[in-house]
Amino acid sequence: MRKVVLYIAMSLDGYIADVDGGVAWLDGDGSDTDSFSKFIKTIDTVILGYRTYHQIVTELSPDDWVYHGKKSYVITHRDIESTDEIIFTNKDVCELVKELKALDGKDIWICGGAIVANELMKFNLIDKYQISIIPIILGDGIRLFDSQMSGIKLTLKSCTSNNGTAELIYEPKL
């Protein structure tokens, strides 16, 4: 059965972006890029919010869709025409995930952002948390875990480090 995986990087103090929504602090972080290349082979579906999508296409990779070959679902209320690979939808993200999990395929990546991730966490729809802790303290910004997220018990499956970045893999405690 397909798993829903939150694969994301955050600062040591729990932020996934700075106060302006930027992620430049991730550049040259020394993290294990091999981790991503291994991970990306395990998924065929990407789910992301509009802000994450917009940041990718306007700042991070404006000339080339970075998840080419993967079906991407962008959660938005904007009326944007979909393509073969990028589906713009205003469907409830939890309903979308339930529908996609029922289909055959590889795992489903929750790429971002925090609003999408927290909605899925609220309803226990994330099967695996793969979080890279970047050795920087931002002090403020966009927090990964909403303050309303509490009591979600997890089991540590693995912990590795490379150049100061720790990669933690957790699964919900049954």
Side-chain angles (χ1 to χ4, degrees):
M1 176 183 254
R2 302 175 87 178
K3 286 188 176 184
V4 176
V5 182
L6 175 62
Y7 180 96
I8 201 162
M10 73 178 188
S11 66
L12 182 61
D13 54 346
Y15 297 100
I16 59 171
D18 64 24
V19 291
D20 298 318
V23 293
W25 54 274
L26 290 170
D27 288 346
D29 63 32
S31 64
D32 182 1
T33 55
D34 193 43
S35 167
F36 182 77
S37 63
K38 288 178 185 175
F39 168 76
I40 200 75
K41 292 176 186 172
T42 67
I43 62 114
D44 62 6
T45 305
V46 182
I47 297 176
L48 57 160
Y50 179 80
R51 281 189 234 161
T52 302
Y53 165 79
H54 187 262
Q55 186 175 48
I56 291 169
V57 299
T58 61
E59 297 173 39
L60 304 176
S61 183
D63 300 322
D64 186 37
W65 180 239
V66 292
Y67 306 126
H68 181 69
K70 313 289 183 192
K71 185 70 84 172
S72 298
Y73 293 86
V74 179
I75 307 301
T76 183
H77 294 291
R78 291 169 175 82
D79 187 20
I80 304 171
E81 190 171 334
S82 297
T83 67
D84 288 341
E85 285 190 320
I86 306 171
I87 309 300
F88 296 93
T89 180
N90 65 0
K91 185 176 281 198
D92 175 80
V93 70
C94 295
E95 292 305 313
L96 176 63
V97 163
K98 289 174 188 176
E99 288 173 15
L100 293 172
K101 274 190 82 161
L103 302 174
D104 289 334
K106 294 181 177 183
D107 289 345
I108 301 163
W109 176 20
I110 306 307
C111 176
I115 294 170
V116 170
N118 279 279
E119 188 66 16
L120 294 168
M121 283 187 270
K122 190 185 322 180
F123 293 99
N124 299 312
L125 291 172
I126 295 180
D127 300 306
K128 182 177 171 183
Y129 296 77
Q130 190 164 345
I131 302 173
S132 293
I133 309 296
I134 309 302
I136 186 171
I137 296 173
L138 292 178
D140 198 3
I142 299 173
R143 207 168 254 302
L144 174 57
F145 301 112
D146 186 297
S147 61
Q148 296 177 6
M149 289 297 116
S150 65
I152 298 174
K153 296 186 180 197
L154 305 171
T155 300
L156 180 65
K157 292 299 186 176
S158 72
C159 176
T160 57
S161 68
N162 183 26
N163 294 330
T165 296
E167 183 170 79
L168 308 172
I169 298 178
Y170 289 95
E171 290 180 359
K173 204 172 231 179
L174 300 177

